Amino acid sequence: GENVEQHPSTLSVQEGDSAVIKCTYSDSASNYFPWYKQELGKRPQLIIDIRSNVGEKKDQRIAVTLNKTAKHFSLHITETQPEDSAVYFCAATITGTASKLTFGTGTRLQVTL
Amino acid sequence: IAGITQAPTSQILAAGRRMTLRCTQDMRHNAMYWYRQDLGLGLRLIHYSNTAGTTGKGEVPDGYSVSRANTDDFPLTLASAVPSQTSVYFCASKVGQNTGELFFGEGSRLTVL
């Protein structure tokens, strides 16, 4: 089955700096890669996703890049703010089948003032 | 408010006891999932159901069972709880197996002593 590795496990940045979280996946057939944000004590919520037919997707201060050849994808957050502090999970799956998301182990992002 | 409701939100349970975590959604989503979240291990899939009347095993199914008698409800049962099942359990759903976004419930924190 699919295996998703995520790094780093913790990340501390100063407010205004950029943050990058990286994930690799094992199954070359995976074609959908979402990112979830989980604030302390809350449920995970989708913040951005990318499909294998594009290499980059942006939504305001967040962007995701995908390198299918290397089987890795990354989340980029620019101009970080305190409310970006949370745990971020990457995931991968193959759509069009009985798709089940496989999650990475999470990155705890701390944005300091 | 439409969404996913989990119950109980928190429970302390003696080892060996039977426990059912309830999950109900009112979005008419076909696919439903149970994940457990443990520190450093991310979100791991326990069981899933692509449509009412069908269920499947995820990554960590041992010690758990599910049923899907109708579209809205997807209970998770621990037949004889063990301390290693101490975790936060999230129920999730999405429109169909070929689509993307997972909607999560608020989670059920279970402690097995």
Side-chain angles (χ1 to χ4, degrees):
Chain A
E2 176 66 275
N3 181 52
V4 177
E5 295 189 356
Q6 183 172 349
H7 300 280
S9 57
T10 60
L11 179 60
S12 182
V13 299
Q14 285 195 322
E15 183 179 6
D17 288 350
S18 295
V20 181
I21 303 170
K22 299 181 179 182
C23 290
T24 61
Y25 61 99
S26 61
D27 191 340
S28 58
S30 288
N31 60 358
Y32 175 69
F33 309 92
W35 286 87
Y36 286 79
K37 176 183 180 181
Q38 185 181 29
E39 297 177 354
L40 188 63
K42 300 292 182 63
R43 73 188 83 189
Q45 291 188 297
L46 179 72
I47 55 171
I48 194 168
D49 56 15
I50 191 168
R51 297 184 184 272
S52 60
N53 57 345
V54 298
E56 184 175 4
K57 183 177 179 180
K58 290 183 179 180
D59 183 3
Q60 299 182 354
R61 295 186 297 108
I62 61 173
V64 59
T65 58
L66 171 66
N67 183 328
K68 288 189 294 182
T69 302
K71 290 188 288 187
H72 67 70
F73 56 112
S74 301
L75 178 71
H76 305 254
I77 306 174
T78 58
E79 301 174 21
T80 54
Q81 301 169 3
E83 53 264 38
D84 295 329
S85 296
V87 178
Y88 292 82
F89 291 99
C90 61
T93 191
I94 308 167
T95 59
T97 62
S99 62
K100 303 177 290 292
L101 278 176
T102 298
F103 285 88
T105 51
T107 297
R108 180 173 297 279
L109 174 64
Q110 181 69 46
V111 179
T112 59
L113 298 175
Chain B
I1 298 177
I4 299 180
T5 302
Q6 290 185 233
T9 56
S10 180
Q11 182 76 44
I12 299 174
L13 187 67
R17 297 297 295 269
R18 180 183 180 90
M19 178 71 193
T20 295
L21 303 180
R22 300 184 298 279
C23 176
T24 300
Q25 54 102 359
D26 60 4
M27 299 177 284
R28 308 303 295 173
H29 286 175
N30 288 321
M32 296 187 74
Y33 308 84
W34 274 105
Y35 286 89
R36 59 176 290 173
Q37 183 175 20
D38 303 288
L39 189 64
L41 296 176
L43 292 154
R44 294 181 293 168
L45 183 65
I46 305 170
H47 284 287
Y48 66 94
S49 170
N50 287 326
T51 189
T54 69
T55 63
K57 294 182 179 180
E59 181 184 356
V60 287
D62 293 345
Y64 306 94
S65 64
V66 292
S67 61
R68 188 86 185 277
N70 56 63
T71 298
D72 298 343
D73 301 301
F74 191 43
L76 176 72
T77 297
L78 290 67
S80 179
V82 295
S84 62
Q85 292 177 310
T86 294
S87 187
V88 179
Y89 292 86
F90 284 98
C91 181
S93 71
K94 61 178 181 174
V95 173
Q97 63 187 30
N98 295 333
T99 59
E101 183 176 0
L102 274 183
F103 293 86
F104 284 87
E106 293 193 357
S108 296
R109 181 176 295 276
L110 183 66
T111 302
V112 183
L113 302 177

